[in-house]
Amino acid sequence: MDRVRTAQPVQPKKGAAGLGVLLALVATVVWSGSFVATRGMAESVPPVQAVFWRWVIAAVAVTPFAARQAWRQRALIRRHFGYVALATLFGVALYNTLVHQAGLTTSASNMGMIMAASPVVMALYARVGGERLGARRVSGLLLAALGVLLLVGDGSLAFDFTAGDLWMFGAALSFATYSALLRRKPAELGGLAFLLTTFVFGALMLAPAYAVSVTVQGGFALTPATGGMLLYVGVMSSAVAFFAWNKAVSVIGAARAGVVYYLQPVCVAGLGLLLLGERTGPAELLCMALILGGVALGARR
C-alpha cells in the first residue's frame, strides 16, 4: 500500500528561513490592504457575492501559471480530494465569507487586529502536532499577543465586541485551521496545482449561496470602485498572497509564519493613516512596539 508523504516540520536552512519570513511578510502586508477593500465594499456588494467573485477572479489570474501542473496532477488531486476539499472549506470558502460578513459591522482596523489572534491558534496546532516551539518563540508570541490585546482594547484588557468582531474571531480560527492543514499537504502535490484547485473548489462551494444571495438581495452595480476592489482582493489578496503564505508555511511552518502575521495590525494602522487619515496615538504606538518586538523575537531561529 502506498504511503502518502506529507510536508513535515523540519528546521529550514538559514537562507530558506529568511525567504520564508519574507514571503509571510508579503502575504501579511497584502492581506492588510484587503481589509480596507473589504470594508469599502461592505455597503455595495453583498458578502457572499463579493467572496464568490473574488475566487473566480483569483482562479482566472492563476490559471495561466497553474493549469498545466494541475492537469498533470489531476489523478493526484482526485486521490487527495478529501484533504483538498477540507483545506478549501476552511481557507477559501469559510474564512473569507466570515471576513466579508464582519466588514458589515466592524472597522477595517478591528478586522486586522482581531485576525492577529490567529497565530495563537496556529502555535497550539503546531504544538499538538509535535512541533517544539522553543522558549524564544513562545516569548515572542506572548509579547506580540499582549500588544494585540492592548491595541484592540484601546490600552486596556476590557473589550466591547460588536457582531462583526465576533465574525472576525471565527475567521481567525478558520484561517489558523487552514494554516495548520497546509503542513499536511501531500508533498507530491504541486503548490500551483493546489492553489488553482482550491480557488476553483471554493467558487463551486459558494455557488449555491451566491445564487440564493442574488435571488434574495439582488445583484450589485459594477462601478470602477467596486471593480478595482474586487480585482485587488481577487488578484493580490488571493492569488499573490495565498501563494506567498502557502510557500512560507511550507518553508518555516505555520507557527513561525504566524508570528510574522502579528504585524498585520501595524500594517492596517499604517494603511489607515495613509488612505483614510486615521490618527495613531502614543498608546497605539506602544502597542505596535510590543507587537514588533514580539515578531522580531519569535521569528528568529
Side-chain angles (χ1 to χ4, degrees):
M1 181 179 296
D2 294 336
R3 290 187 177 181
V4 177
R5 293 192 298 115
T6 57
Q8 298 299 321
V10 296
Q11 284 292 332
K13 295 180 180 180
K14 188 173 181 180
L19 175 62
V21 170
L22 178 61
L23 289 170
L25 179 60
V26 168
T28 298
V29 172
V30 173
W31 276 328
S32 298
S34 75
F35 291 126
V36 177
T38 297
R39 188 71 181 96
M41 287 188 287
E43 303 299 327
S44 56
V45 186
V48 171
Q49 296 182 40
V51 179
F52 174 80
W53 285 111
R54 171 178 183 155
W55 298 119
V56 169
I57 293 170
V60 171
V62 301
T63 292
F65 310 100
R68 180 176 297 180
Q69 184 183 83
W71 177 253
R72 287 200 310 265
Q73 297 190 336
R74 60 191 183 279
L76 190 62
I77 293 169
R78 286 196 299 268
R79 190 192 314 165
H80 301 298
F81 176 81
Y83 167 81
V84 175
L86 192 63
T88 301
L89 175 65
F90 282 103
V92 176
L94 186 58
Y95 161 57
N96 287 278
T97 301
L98 291 172
V99 169
H100 282 261
Q101 183 66 36
L104 295 175
T105 52
T106 193
S107 67
S109 296
N110 270 23
M111 292 165 71
M113 288 186 286
I114 293 171
M115 267 306 296
S118 59
V120 176
V121 186
M122 292 180 204
L124 291 176
Y125 279 139
R127 187 67 187 92
V128 170
E131 184 175 343
R132 295 185 62 183
L133 301 180
R136 179 180 295 167
R137 201 185 309 176
V138 171
S139 299
L141 185 145
L142 293 176
L143 183 63
L146 176 62
V148 170
L149 290 173
L150 291 174
L151 195 58
V152 174
D154 291 327
S156 75
L157 297 179
F159 308 112
D160 182 19
F161 296 122
T162 66
D165 295 336
L166 297 177
W167 285 117
M168 281 307 302
F169 276 114
L173 177 61
S174 182
F175 179 72
T177 303
Y178 169 75
S179 296
L181 285 169
L182 289 178
R183 295 297 284 173
R184 307 299 301 171
K185 184 176 77 68
E188 300 89 348
L189 184 57
L192 287 172
F194 175 74
L195 204 65
L196 177 58
T197 304
T198 56
F199 290 171
V200 173
F201 281 10
L204 292 175
M205 285 182 181
L206 289 164
Y210 173 81
V212 172
S213 176
V214 171
T215 302
V216 175
Q217 298 174 289
F220 62 91
L222 184 60
T223 66
T226 57
M229 287 184 283
L230 283 171
L231 283 174
Y232 180 87
V233 298
V235 177
M236 296 301 296
S237 299
S238 300
V240 174
F242 267 79
F243 177 81
W245 181 260
N246 292 0
K247 185 64 176 178
V249 170
S250 71
V251 173
I252 60 175
R256 182 169 288 164
V259 175
V260 179
Y261 194 76
Y262 270 127
L263 286 170
Q264 189 153 247
V266 180
C267 297
V268 173
L271 290 172
L273 177 63
L274 291 174
L275 302 177
L276 305 177
E278 296 178 351
R279 302 293 296 274
T280 301
E284 287 79 9
L285 292 175
L286 176 60
C287 294
M288 290 178 190
L290 290 174
I291 295 170
L292 289 170
V295 169
L297 183 63
R300 292 178 60 188
R301 291 191 60 183

